Amino acid sequence: MQIYRLPAFSDNYIFVLHDPEQQIAAVVDPADPQPVLQKLQFLQAELVAIFNTHHHSDHVGGNRRLLQVYPHAVVYGGEGDRSRIPGQHYFLKEGDRVTFADREAEVFFVPGHTRAHIAYYFPPIAPKDLGELFCGDTLFAGGCGRLFEGTPTQMVNSLSKLRDLPDQTRIWCAHEYTLKNLQFALTIEPENIHIKQRYQQVQAARSHSQPTIPSVLGIEKQTNPFLRWDQPDLIQITQSQDPIQCFARLRGQKDQF
Ligand code: ZN
Ligand code: FE
């Protein structure tokens, strides 16, 4: 399975999964149909699946057009997004499995950003494979999604599930927010050497318009404050009684940042 990252709009990423042997492809969160159609044509691949993480228009905006061109493509989304995702055929819940080519993904229910948000995790099958996580707007490189329809408790539960995956897992999140996220992280933990180093790297990459996605889970655990709600120093820094409160304070501060 090859993964291609297509930029869309100002800061979205669309991911195209490709199996060159069968000449088939799938797409994760097609914000815009145009770059996807171009890529499929270039690859000479038939679109067989659309994997949506949640109903926001910058994630499902391409569904209708892609279905016009590829009427046999199957549209997957969370069960709670029924009637919110255009063309949805399958209504997924925690623990469901979906397949593409020779890979099978596990579905995680990760409410918080929206009430129906899901993530797709493809575990490695061959020794050369990495785990691939498509997490939409739940976990970002250096940050996490805003709480539009969920509570801090839900988001901490959701992020906990993702944090439990192997450290080498690649994180394919849907937006290029990394630089701003790390600027915020540095205001929270100015002495964290891992954040400082990562900030330098990301600044250099972005100054050359290079993408910072995919990220790697092990690096997120060291540098993303939104995966560090139960670290004693973060609880102290945010002057919180407990992990949920710590997370809620961080999220509140980030909303103002
Ligand atoms: Zn969203
Ligand atoms: Fe989004």
Side-chain angles (χ1 to χ4, degrees):
M1 179 171 83
Q2 301 278 341
I3 304 175
Y4 296 96
R5 174 195 52 232
L6 313 179
F9 307 141
S10 59
D11 53 36
N12 277 83
Y13 288 122
I14 303 168
F15 304 112
V16 170
L17 318 183
H18 181 221
D19 175 4
E21 272 164 41
Q22 298 182 63
Q23 289 189 295
I24 55 170
V27 62
V28 181
D29 283 352
D32 182 358
Q34 220 44 53
V36 180
L37 290 171
Q38 269 173 20
K39 190 71 184 179
L40 294 172
Q41 204 166 37
F42 177 80
L43 295 170
Q44 298 199 311
E46 153 114 19
L47 185 74
V48 297
I50 298 175
F51 296 116
N52 289 128
T53 62
H54 66 296
H55 74 291
H56 284 159
S57 62
D58 64 317
H59 298 256
V60 304
N63 281 23
R64 285 272 177 236
R65 177 78 188 119
L66 292 173
L67 285 172
Q68 274 174 359
V69 181
Y70 298 98
H72 301 299
V74 175
V75 180
Y76 297 91
E79 63 176 348
D81 269 334
R82 192 176 285 270
S83 84
R84 302 205 296 184
I85 292 181
Q88 186 175 0
H89 300 108
Y90 282 91
F91 303 87
L92 303 171
K93 57 185 191 313
E94 174 87 14
D96 280 348
R97 286 173 195 271
V98 296
T99 57
F100 172 71
D102 60 343
R103 298 285 287 265
E104 184 177 66
E106 188 180 337
V107 173
F108 293 109
F109 177 48
V110 287
H113 177 66
T114 68
R115 61 179 164 77
H117 202 301
I118 59 172
Y120 301 88
Y121 172 62
F122 289 87
I125 45 171
K128 62 173 174 39
D129 293 338
L130 293 165
E132 316 285 4
L133 176 69
F134 297 93
C135 52
D137 291 354
T138 296
L139 175 63
F140 289 128
C144 76
R146 275 176 193 263
L147 302 183
F148 286 119
E149 296 181 343
T151 64
T153 306
Q154 282 178 320
M155 193 57 146
V156 165
N157 281 334
S158 297
L159 291 170
S160 295
K161 291 181 199 172
L162 307 184
R163 195 176 67 169
D164 284 345
L165 292 171
D167 278 356
Q168 317 87 279
T169 304
R170 293 201 288 186
I171 309 295
W172 301 87
C173 57
H175 290 272
E176 180 62 67
Y177 290 159
T178 317
L179 187 62
K180 183 112 197 269
N181 284 339
L182 291 175
Q183 275 164 4
F184 173 74
L186 273 178
T187 68
I188 301 296
E189 291 186 88
E191 304 305 327
N192 182 323
I193 182 72
H194 302 292
I195 301 179
K196 286 194 217 178
Q197 283 172 352
R198 189 178 184 197
Y199 180 74
Q200 305 280 322
Q201 290 163 2
V202 165
Q203 205 177 27
R206 294 308 297 151
S207 71
H208 297 98
S209 302
Q210 285 166 1
T212 65
I213 308 305
S215 175
V216 177
L217 184 60
I219 294 172
E220 293 305 321
K221 283 158 71 172
Q222 290 180 322
T223 57
N224 186 334
F226 296 99
L227 292 182
R228 294 166 60 73
W229 61 80
D230 46 6
Q231 296 286 311
D233 32 328
L234 265 201
I235 291 190
Q236 204 186 20
I237 287 167
T238 56
Q239 298 185 318
S240 305
Q241 308 290 321
D242 65 25
I244 302 288
Q245 197 183 44
C246 172
F247 176 86
R249 292 222 169 125
L250 284 173
R251 191 56 258 177
Q253 286 180 39
K254 180 63 169 57
D255 288 346
Q256 312 294 326
F257 183 70

